[in-house]
């Protein structure tokens, strides 16, 4: 399986960089994982709704440019479906079984994802109704993908 994790902005926090690198390394036997960062749009603190929309559109265009036509796209969105780790594992297993072995998980910037990117997504996935920093979400996501791969192989870890 080939997994892309597309994100907005450069990750700078060392503890997050190290944690993500550890899980990407652990995923090596299971999948090829590629982390792709696109630049974030400069966003002043007090923006109008129209300005926020423009930021999402620009960041969305950058993300969409990185997605291949045959890639199954999972948008991380607060209004998405909430799954257990086992459900994520079953979904990834089903995709691989039916020839959809290229999967891209997309994490938006601090203002979320553009409507264009959400329309391109094959599904929306939520990790809960609480807002998490998009930088931290990268680590949570890659850990859950690793957990899913272990579940699918019947290997210990997921309890």
């Amino acid at each position: 399986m080939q997994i892309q994790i597309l994100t907005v902005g450069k990750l700078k926090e060392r503890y997050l960089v190290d944690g993500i690198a550890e899980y990407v390394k652990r995923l090596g036997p299971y999948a090829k994982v590629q982390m792709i960062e696109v630049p974030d749009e400069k966003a002043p603190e007090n923006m109008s709704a129209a300005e926020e929309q423009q930021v999402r559109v620009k960041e969305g265009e950058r993300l969409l440019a990185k997605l291949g036509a045959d890639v199954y796209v999972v948008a991380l969105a607060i209004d998405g479906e909430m799954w257990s780790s086992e459900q994520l594992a079953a979904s990834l297993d089903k995709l691989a079984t039916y020839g959809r072995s290229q999967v891209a998980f997309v994490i938006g910037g601090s203002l979320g994802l553009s409507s264009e990117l959400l329309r391109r997504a094959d599904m929306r996935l939520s990790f809960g109704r609480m807002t998490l920093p998009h930088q931290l979400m990268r680590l949570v996501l890659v850990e859950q993908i690793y957990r899913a791969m272990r579940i699918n192989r019947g290997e210990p870890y997921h309890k």
Side-chain angles (χ1 to χ4, degrees), residues 24-36:
V24 168
K25 182 178 85 175
R26 290 183 188 189
L27 276 162
Y30 307 99
K32 179 182 176 198
V33 178
Q34 184 181 18
M35 304 293 286
I36 301 171

Side-chain angles (χ1 to χ4, degrees), residues 6-11 36-41 59-60 62-63 106-110 112-113 134-135 138:
L6 281 76
T7 61
V8 173
K10 184 89 173 134
L11 190 59
I36 301 171
E37 296 176 334
V38 301
D40 57 345
E41 193 65 22
E59 291 175 347
R62 292 178 189 136
L63 291 165
V106 183
I107 303 171
S110 60
L113 294 167
H134 58 282
Q135 300 94 338
R138 298 178 197 194

Side-chain angles (χ1 to χ4, degrees), residues 75-149:
L76 272 62
I78 201 160
D79 65 345
E81 295 180 44
M82 285 193 277
W83 286 353
S84 66
S85 298
E86 291 81 7
Q87 286 173 301
L88 176 62
S91 177
L92 290 174
D93 190 51
K94 183 178 176 184
L95 287 169
T97 300
Y98 293 102
R100 301 296 303 266
S101 60
Q102 293 184 7
V103 179
F105 291 88
V106 183
I107 303 171
S110 60
L111 297 175
L113 294 167
S114 70
S115 56
E116 293 82 5
L117 196 134
L118 291 171
R119 278 193 296 277
R120 167 61 178 89
D122 294 288
M123 76 151 304
R124 295 181 193 186
L125 179 63
S126 174
F127 278 70
R129 299 295 178 229
M130 289 188 209
T131 302
L132 295 173
H134 58 282
Q135 300 94 338
L136 178 60
M137 196 61 237
R138 298 178 197 194
L139 177 59
V140 173
L141 174 62
V142 75
E143 187 279 335
Q144 283 298 304
I145 293 169
Y146 174 68
R147 183 179 299 266
M149 295 298 177

